């Protein structure tokens, strides 16, 4: 993998260090890099609310790549990673990797396909359309723009870039998912036609690199056939397309680390495509990935003494955060014997007191599921020193 610690190759562009990125922020951050002679910028359409849809192209090689990000407006991580790659392409012509990529590849990026959704911080377009269910009907101008770019360029490879629900683990025993991948099916029979087999090979290459950097945090997305989605549609049309979903990492509240990992991962895949080594990856890396599995809760505090209104009970505590990426605003999900319930994280509170203060104040000294709470984990007794709090 292109070493993520050496991402001096593509240092993060300033002005995009939050999960909520709008079109104004993006194009402002790219103003400088887009003056570069190594890049071609093209207007390819307008959103429903008349914001520009643009492609940025780098390289003059024979293998065409098309990447698009943020077709769901509230999924900005890949837009930020692609912006960092634009920064690399714009300025680092002296680096070997830059020369290899521009000689062998032609990389076209459509950043922020859904700028209206980005402005409103919502998944759908301004007209309420989910672009990834509009690949066949093409009712939205955004979907039409993407389909037209693919039709015109006929790229060999497509990269469909998203953020996923962060309440997912890599298999039953894995950690919270950082990245999940899919080589989308071309029919309900799950056929491995050559176009899809190439996508699988590329996914295996990226998954191997991701597993090196983030073991136990890489998963395979559900392979259910969704004929209205762009991955499936482009795969049928002859572009080997991969779906990459970015999840979350503990202590990465703005997904800055994952943004950097994603930029490194994409650079790695470009490098493998440029030198042909992607064809040597064992496709079993893909089929062997654990499935992206939902969990019920964000955090389990187990084995401790729960304290509510001064009363003590032997009870586990399950929490859900309103913002599960930043671990902010906890609500009580369940209290008592959690049985087989799953959580992203488990904190063993044996020998400790879990003091639960309800913030909703319906009735003093009483809590119930869904209540907003403040939690203090105390040592030596219910009034002892605080070990952790949420
Ligand atoms: Zn999405």
């Amino acid at each position: 993998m292109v070493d993520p610690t050496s991402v001096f190759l593509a240092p993060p562009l300033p002005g995009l260090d939050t999960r909520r990125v709008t079109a104004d922020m993006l194009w402002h951050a790219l103003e400088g890099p887009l003056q570069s002679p190594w890049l071609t910028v093209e207007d390819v359409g307008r959103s429903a609310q008349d914001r520009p849809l643009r492609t940025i192209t780098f390289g003059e090689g024979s293998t065409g790549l098309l990447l698009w990000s943020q077709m769901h407006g509230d999924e900005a991580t890949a837009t930020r990673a692609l912006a960092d790659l634009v920064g690399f392409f714009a300025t680092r012509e002296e680096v070997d990797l830059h020369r290899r990529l521009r000689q062998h590849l032609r990389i076209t990026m459509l950043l922020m396909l859904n700028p209206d959704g980005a402005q409103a911080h919502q998944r759908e377009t301004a007209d309420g359309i989910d672009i990834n269910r509009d690949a066949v009907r093409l009712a939205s101008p955004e979907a039409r723009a993407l389909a037209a770019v693919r039709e015109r360029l006929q790229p060999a490879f497509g990269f469909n870039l998203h953020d996923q629900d962060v309440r997912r683990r890599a298999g039953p025993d894995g950690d919270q998912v950082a990245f999940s991948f899919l080589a989308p099916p071309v029919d309900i029979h799950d056929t491995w036609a050559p176009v899809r087999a190439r996508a699988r090979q590329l996914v295996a290459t990226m998954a191997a690199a991701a597993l090196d950097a983030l073991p136990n945090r890489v998963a395979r997305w559900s392979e259910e056939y969704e004929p209205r989605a762009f991955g499936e549609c482009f795969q049928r049309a002859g572009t080997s397309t991969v779906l990459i979903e970015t999840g979350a990492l503990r202590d990465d509240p703005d997904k800055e680390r994952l943004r950097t990992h994603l930029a490194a991962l994409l650079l790695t895949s470009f490098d493998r495509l440029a030198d042909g080594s992607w064809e040597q990856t064992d496709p079993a890396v893909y089929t062997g990935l654990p499935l992206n599995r939902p969990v019920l809760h964000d955090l389990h505090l187990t084995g401790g003494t729960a304290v509510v209104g001064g009363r003590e009970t032997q009870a586990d505590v399950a929490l859900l955060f309103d913002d599960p990426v930043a671990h902010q605003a906890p609500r009580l999900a369940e209290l008592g014997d959690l049985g087989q319930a799953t959580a992203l994280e488990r904190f063993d509170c044996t020998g400790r007191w879990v003091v639960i203060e309800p913030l909703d104040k319906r009735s003093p000294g009483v809590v119930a599921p869904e209540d907003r709470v403040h939690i203090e984990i105390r040592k030596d007794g219910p009034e002892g020193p605080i070990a952790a709090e949420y």
Side-chain angles (χ1 to χ4, degrees):
M1 170 136 169
V2 173
D3 182 357
T5 60
S6 76
V7 285
F8 63 85
L9 284 175
L13 283 192
L16 302 175
D17 55 358
T18 139
R19 278 183 275 150
R20 190 167 175 166
V21 172
T22 63
D24 285 348
M25 291 162 70
L26 174 66
W27 298 110
H28 180 68
L30 289 174
E31 255 168 36
L34 291 185
Q35 305 303 312
S36 165
W38 297 106
L39 299 169
T40 309
V41 186
E42 202 181 337
D43 284 312
V44 295
R46 311 288 296 184
S47 69
Q49 289 185 309
D50 207 33
R51 294 187 172 88
L53 304 175
R54 296 186 179 120
T55 56
I56 302 169
T57 299
F58 167 77
E60 294 174 337
S62 55
T63 302
L65 276 50
L66 174 61
L67 300 91
W68 61 97
S69 68
Q70 214 169 343
M71 63 160 57
H72 295 143
D74 54 354
E75 300 176 9
T77 309
T79 295
R80 297 153 65 196
L82 291 182
D84 299 340
L85 296 187
V86 170
F88 170 68
F89 297 144
T91 57
R92 302 305 302 275
E93 66 267 21
E94 80 285 3
V95 176
D96 271 352
L97 177 63
H98 193 281
R99 180 186 46 74
R100 281 202 299 284
L101 299 188
R102 68 182 190 249
Q103 282 176 352
H104 293 282
L105 306 179
R106 181 179 166 82
I107 301 169
T108 300
M109 294 169 283
L110 205 173
L111 285 78
M112 195 183 280
L113 181 61
N114 181 5
D116 303 343
Q119 188 68 38
H121 199 57
Q122 68 178 32
R123 177 182 175 89
E124 298 80 8
T125 65
D127 296 329
I129 301 278
D130 181 337
I131 297 175
N132 215 23
R133 300 291 179 268
D134 194 28
V136 175
R137 185 169 289 187
L138 300 177
S140 65
E142 297 87 354
R144 286 196 292 277
L146 177 59
V149 168
R150 197 215 70 86
E151 186 63 32
R152 177 163 54 88
L153 301 178
Q154 298 285 322
F157 295 96
F159 295 69
N160 188 4
L161 304 171
H162 293 256
D163 283 87
Q164 70 170 29
D165 185 341
V166 302
R167 292 191 173 114
R168 293 287 185 275
R169 279 199 320 209
D173 306 314
D175 294 323
Q176 185 174 27
V177 171
F179 292 109
S180 61
F181 297 96
L182 176 68
V186 288
D187 53 40
I188 49 166
H189 308 297
D190 222 18
T191 311
W192 287 103
V195 173
R196 185 180 178 218
R198 278 197 296 278
R200 172 176 58 181
Q201 193 75 24
L202 177 58
V203 165
T205 303
M206 285 192 285
L211 279 165
D212 272 351
L214 298 159
N216 297 321
R217 295 183 180 277
V218 180
R220 186 155 45 98
W221 187 260
S222 152
E223 294 197 337
E224 211 167 304
Y225 181 56
E226 175 44 83
R228 302 167 297 168
F230 270 94
E232 276 84 340
C233 228
F234 283 5
Q235 203 93 278
R236 288 196 303 267
T239 294
S240 296
T241 303
V242 300
L243 173 77
I244 306 177
E245 299 266 357
T246 301
L249 288 178
R250 185 87 167 94
D251 302 322
D252 189 20
D254 293 309
K255 297 202 186 183
E256 283 285 87
R257 278 165 57 212
L258 277 178
R259 163 192 182 178
T260 295
H261 275 293
L262 181 57
L265 195 59
L266 291 170
L267 273 182
T268 302
S269 68
F270 299 165
D271 198 18
R272 301 277 192 271
L273 286 166
D275 70 10
S277 62
W278 70 286
E279 292 186 87
Q280 265 82 62
T281 317
D282 182 356
V285 174
Y286 173 69
T287 41
L289 286 174
L291 285 174
N292 198 45
R293 308 239 313 202
V295 294
L296 205 53
H297 302 133
D298 292 327
L299 180 62
H300 283 171
L301 306 170
T302 58
T305 303
V307 183
V308 176
R311 301 177 308 278
E312 299 187 8
T313 319
Q314 290 306 309
D316 302 331
V317 178
L319 298 178
L320 283 165
F321 294 95
D322 283 359
D323 181 346
V325 177
H327 270 214
Q328 279 170 358
R331 285 177 187 276
L332 192 66
E334 208 177 323
L335 203 143
D337 181 353
L338 296 178
Q340 301 301 307
T342 52
L344 291 175
E345 278 190 280
R346 184 172 169 274
F347 186 14
D348 183 359
C349 293
T350 305
R352 306 208 164 178
W353 284 260
V354 180
V355 182
I356 304 167
E357 187 195 340
L359 300 178
D360 293 334
K361 307 284 184 210
R362 282 174 297 109
S363 178
V366 174
V367 292
E370 297 188 23
D371 279 356
R372 197 176 293 283
V373 291
H374 178 73
I375 303 275
E376 290 169 350
I377 299 168
R378 292 180 177 264
K379 298 186 280 194
D380 308 330
E383 315 263 316
I386 295 174
E389 58 188 316
Y390 298 94

